[in-house]
Amino acid sequence: MSKRVLTTESGAPVADNQNSASAGAGGPLLLQDQHLLEKLARFNRERIPERVVHARGSGAYGHFEVTDDVTGFTHADFLSEIGKRTEVFLRFSTVADSLGGADAVRDPRGFAVKFYTEEGNYDLVGNNTPVFFIKDPIKFPDFIHSQKRDPFTGKQEPDNVWDFWAHAPEATHQVTWLMGDRGIPASYRHMNGYGSHTYQWTNAQGEAFFVKYHFKTNQGIRCLSSEQAAETVGQDANSHQTDLLQAIERGVHPSWTLYVQLMPAAEAADYRFNPFDLTKVWPHKDYPLQRVGRLVLDRNPDNVFAEVEQAAFSPNNFVPGIGPSPDKMLQGRLFAYADAHRYRLGVNHTLLAVNAPKAVPGGARNYGRDGLMAVNGQGRGAKNYEPNSYDGPAETGRPLSAPLPVSGHTGTHEAPLHTKDDDFVQAGDLYRLMSEEERSRLVANIAGGLSQVSRDDVIEKNLAHFHAADPEYGRRVEAAVRALRED
């Protein structure tokens, strides 16, 4: 069977793909060699800016199936009946390192799910931890700058990492998570995922509930110690990618059970913790987990660049029955994520196959036109404004979710304090939940980083946070840091 003909990008056949055109057998190359120039020019432009955070990622396709009735809480169509299946794409990632970073490092993991629902794409962008380091988006650029490579030394600096945390006492809860046993998952398959933020569900009667998402791994939690992780990185820097790819290829399909915590909207104002604070959890004894369904991954992408690197998740991609809450970090991300994709991928990134809504054949119906890579197939004579008299797409008049009540004066405000709101209660609760072996490893992990800080005042500020969380916690970290610095 004859092979298909290799062509240039304009479709012309390529006669020789092994030798460049030259002026004689040993002469200089010719500017007229269109095939050579096209190949080199395209090669120079193959890469796009990597994500500032979550650059190193893996992903897979699968489905979500409803197993329990939640129609009393949301009228989202993809959750409307037991047994209903929705196609999904899930992207895992590390947070701080670059695209070429290793997988088995101590870092939170991104857990971003795109549901291709019949009412449009719903993006749930979370992590493998239920909390985060900060609670206001205005601090996010500073936080990430402190965690990434220093502009002078070109590497991550303990001075920067711990100096920021010293000035952000609300980070103590997440630092306790990160430095504990779950700080380095053994694989993407063996970790939980969380929506982390608080969202809003609205039922058919217009009743509003605040919701937190918990994806519990059905493979069981497996994590690596710092020593095991170092060995793993030395053997295969792409260990998590390798594991996910090979598991799915051999028919071992990872799965997670989705649970939610639901809080009637009227209870939020008087709850003892601020329910919209990303550094806090809702204790399960207050709002028990309720099962919703099962997420299964069963197909690897055909092209990692096209489908994983160019996958664009935006927390503002809601569907009817689901909406935002007053969570400040969520509110900031409603803008920042979509804007990052417009920068990296272009204004038409939603036309890429991995991002395109499957609910609308031919692509989204709106009046956006033109821009880089405009291929939106609007028919001849279609209008690019609304309203119009030409049968163009029109608004429904039906809001996706219930309105959020507001009051007071505009300005920069700290979040209102609830009865148990401080930066240390939940970090201490987490420490006291740990076994003695877990506490010892946590203390060693913290001391290993904090002892490398050059300024004594920064060390003291961080130690004060651990003392405030739990006296024993503080004493043990302080002793461990002192011992390492005296060596």
Side-chain angles (χ1 to χ4, degrees), residues 257-403:
T257 299
L258 172 60
Y259 298 87
V260 293
Q261 290 177 284
L262 291 160
M263 174 188 293
E267 296 180 12
D270 296 323
Y271 187 48
R272 68 183 191 276
F273 301 113
N274 180 354
F276 312 117
D277 181 347
L278 186 55
T279 69
K280 304 287 196 303
V281 298
W282 302 353
H284 292 181
K285 65 181 180 181
D286 296 341
Y287 296 98
L289 296 178
Q290 302 185 47
R291 194 176 65 176
V292 180
R294 181 180 176 91
L295 186 154
V296 179
L297 299 181
D298 56 17
R299 179 166 67 88
N300 283 310
D302 294 325
N303 184 297
V304 171
F305 176 80
E307 299 166 85
V308 179
E309 181 64 12
Q310 293 195 118
F313 299 85
S314 300
N316 58 358
N317 287 345
F318 293 114
V319 293
I322 303 177
S325 79
D327 180 333
K328 284 188 174 184
M329 284 296 293
L330 173 60
Q331 292 283 323
R333 285 172 168 159
L334 296 181
F335 162 77
Y337 274 62
D339 191 58
H341 303 315
R342 294 184 192 106
Y343 164 67
R344 294 181 61 248
L345 305 171
V347 71
N348 288 307
H349 66 273
T350 55
L351 301 178
L352 297 169
V354 69
N355 300 320
K358 300 182 185 300
V360 189
R365 290 191 293 263
N366 56 45
Y367 295 92
R369 296 290 189 277
D370 307 332
L372 189 67
M373 298 296 292
V375 291
N376 54 8
Q378 295 291 343
R380 180 177 180 180
K383 304 305 177 185
N384 64 345
Y385 59 88
E386 195 278 336
N388 62 61
S389 304
Y390 294 87
D391 199 29
E395 64 195 26
T396 67
R398 298 189 299 273
L400 300 187
S401 57

Side-chain angles (χ1 to χ4, degrees), residues 377-433:
Q378 295 291 343
R380 180 177 180 180
K383 304 305 177 185
N384 64 345
Y385 59 88
E386 195 278 336
N388 62 61
S389 304
Y390 294 87
D391 199 29
E395 64 195 26
T396 67
R398 298 189 299 273
L400 300 187
S401 57
L404 297 172
V406 296
S407 63
H409 302 282
T410 60
T412 55
H413 303 285
E414 293 186 4
L417 287 177
H418 292 232
T419 56
K420 288 292 183 68
D421 268 345
D422 70 26
D423 296 321
F424 308 112
V425 167
Q426 293 198 353
D429 289 343
L430 179 58
Y431 175 80
R432 289 184 288 274
L433 282 173

